[in-house]
Structures are given as structure tokens and as C-alpha cells.
Amino acid sequence: MRLGEGAVWFGGTGQPIVLLHGLMGRATTWWRVAQWLTPYGGVVGLDARGHGRSPRPLPAATEDFAGDVAELVERLAAGPAVVIGHSMGGLHALALAATRPELVRGVVIEDFAPDLRGRTVETWRGHFESWPQPFESLAHVREFFGDTGDYFVECFEERSDGYHLIADLDDLYAIASEWGHRDYWSYVDKVDRPLLVIEAGDTVMPAGQQAELAERAGGKHVVVDGAGHVVHDSAPEEYRGAVEAFLSGVLGR
């Protein structure tokens, strides 16, 4: 099967399960999650534009990212997919479910809120530019990011002077800037597929929005106490339990 550049096949057969990463991530950050997902179907991750090995150009709007996911699901030719997205990837999963419902069997959104208006890229800029790039080694990356170190080592590459984030910071700022001036509630109201919203107990998202997202779309909302933004990394067992229960219901297992 030719998935195209920027897609990663993790294994499994049958029901397509598509994994969408967050801002600055890449498909391979899902490796550990994919290992327990393969019994449920054929699992594939996609590098978003401006990330990993994606060949797709920027600038791009949310709808372009969702269109890329639609192309992948159509290429799989195995029926509608369960789409699982973290943060930015959750937004892309939401947009896909709202605009191409025939391609979606169920949606999992991890720690993303539909309305981030008023937040500027300056918040992101200060955080990213505080990093000691280039890092001296992958061990240095793991140490710096602590509990999410295993996640972030997937997002760095070695260059002549050390380890750098694969994604270009200016590209990340451009992507995030869209979220500061538009909301996505209209997409929420169009979702009619089974939905699970997993919120980090220590979320960086505006309070109350993820519960409202689940309620308005007729889905389930789960808060994982003590978890950070990357719930599947900081609270892997709780995340797995919530997703497997959801899949059992959606897939009738």
C-alpha cells in the first residue's frame, strides 16, 4: 500500500485508525500508543504540513490539514476511519468529522478547545525560544522535557551543531496564529459521529470548553486528573483505558 510521504504505517488490519499529532510533533510520537491500538485495526499516523517528513506546503488553514487527512483515509480504501488527534491534531480530526463525515467512524480529541481567540503567537514564541537549541544529545532533550522527554526526542533531528526541532519555528507560529482569531464551534455543531474528548487535568486550554465541546457534539468527556497536555504520554494507562472503552463501543467489541 502506498500511503505517501509523511505517513507512517504502524501495523494491524481492518478498521482504519488514523493518528494525528499536535503542534511541533510528528507521526512517530504515537509509536507507543499504536502498539496497543493495532488489535483494533490498521493504524497509520500522518505528519501534518510543516512537520516531520510532510511534503505538503505552507501556509495552510485548518481546512487544508483536514483535507490532507481526508486524502489519506481515501487512499486507505478501507472505509471510514476512527480518527484520534492530540491538540492540533484534535482540531484537524474535528474539522474532518464536520466536513467529511462519510470518512469518519469515530473521533477522539485530546486536550484541545474550539475557541482560542485572543491568544497570540507571542505566548508560543516565548516558550519555544527559551529552549537551549541546539541540544547536545537526545539524552539532553529527554532531560530538558522531563515527563514528556520520550515524546520530544521524536521531534528533534541531528545537524552539524547538535539536535534541532524538525519543524521550523516560523511555520509553527504561522499555524498557531490562525487559532488566535477564529473559533471552531460551527464545526463542533456539525459533528454527528461518536466522540470522546480527553482533557488533561492540568490542561493549558480555556476552562470549560472541552466539556462544552463534548456536550454540544453528543460525545463523552473525560478529565484525567494530574495529566499534562500530552495525556497519552503523562498518563498512558488512564488514556489507554478511556480510548479502549470508546473503541469497544464504536466497534462493537
Side-chain angles (χ1 to χ4, degrees):
M1 180 189 304
R2 291 183 60 84
L3 296 177
E5 191 175 355
V8 176
W9 181 255
F10 291 108
T13 59
Q15 171 65 53
I17 301 174
V18 176
L19 304 176
L20 306 176
H21 62 79
L23 190 71
M24 88 180 76
R26 63 185 305 195
T28 55
T29 60
W30 287 107
W31 188 87
R32 286 192 295 182
V33 172
Q35 303 315 296
W36 53 260
L37 278 175
T38 51
Y40 291 93
V43 183
V44 60
L46 181 66
D47 286 340
R49 297 184 188 214
H51 296 76
R53 302 306 176 201
S54 174
R56 302 171 187 86
L58 291 171
T62 294
E63 290 74 17
D64 298 312
F65 289 100
D68 295 338
V69 184
E71 288 182 14
L72 174 62
V73 176
E74 291 174 331
R75 197 176 303 122
L76 293 171
V82 174
V83 186
I84 299 175
H86 167 243
S87 193
M88 176 186 74
L91 170 61
H92 300 163
L94 172 70
L96 178 69
T99 59
R100 297 293 305 277
E102 75 279 6
L103 297 180
V104 177
R105 188 165 181 180
V107 182
V108 178
I109 296 175
E110 176 189 349
D111 214 46
F112 192 83
D115 188 354
L116 300 179
R117 287 177 296 174
R119 295 193 176 191
T120 71
V121 295
E122 294 309 311
T123 302
W124 301 96
R125 190 186 305 275
H127 174 63
F128 293 161
E129 294 182 359
S130 70
W131 297 353
Q133 287 200 87
F135 286 83
E136 297 171 13
S137 67
L138 292 179
H140 186 196
V141 173
R142 282 193 177 92
E143 180 181 82
F144 181 81
F145 290 103
D147 291 344
T148 54
D150 286 342
Y151 176 92
F152 277 102
V153 294
E154 295 290 341
C155 306
F156 282 77
E157 64 182 358
E158 187 174 15
R159 300 177 190 169
S160 60
D161 60 343
Y163 288 81
H164 293 258
L165 189 68
I166 296 172
D168 183 89
L169 287 178
D170 287 335
D171 288 342
L172 301 185
Y173 301 147
I175 293 167
S177 68
E178 178 188 313
W179 311 336
H181 66 258
R182 64 177 292 197
D183 71 87
Y184 300 92
W185 289 115
S186 62
Y187 281 164
V188 172
D189 294 333
K190 292 177 181 177
V191 173
D192 64 355
R193 294 295 184 261
L195 171 70
L196 171 64
V197 179
I198 301 176
E199 180 174 355
D202 298 329
T203 186
V204 296
M205 297 293 148
Q209 285 196 29
Q210 295 185 70
E212 183 179 353
L213 161 59
E215 181 179 2
R216 285 171 64 162
K220 182 177 181 181
H221 175 231
V222 173
V223 178
V224 181
D225 291 337
H229 180 55
V230 188
V231 182
H232 64 268
D233 224 36
S234 60
E237 294 305 316
E238 293 87 345
Y239 177 88
R240 178 175 179 173
V243 172
E244 287 195 316
F246 175 74
L247 290 175
S248 295
V250 169
L251 304 181
R253 297 183 181 181

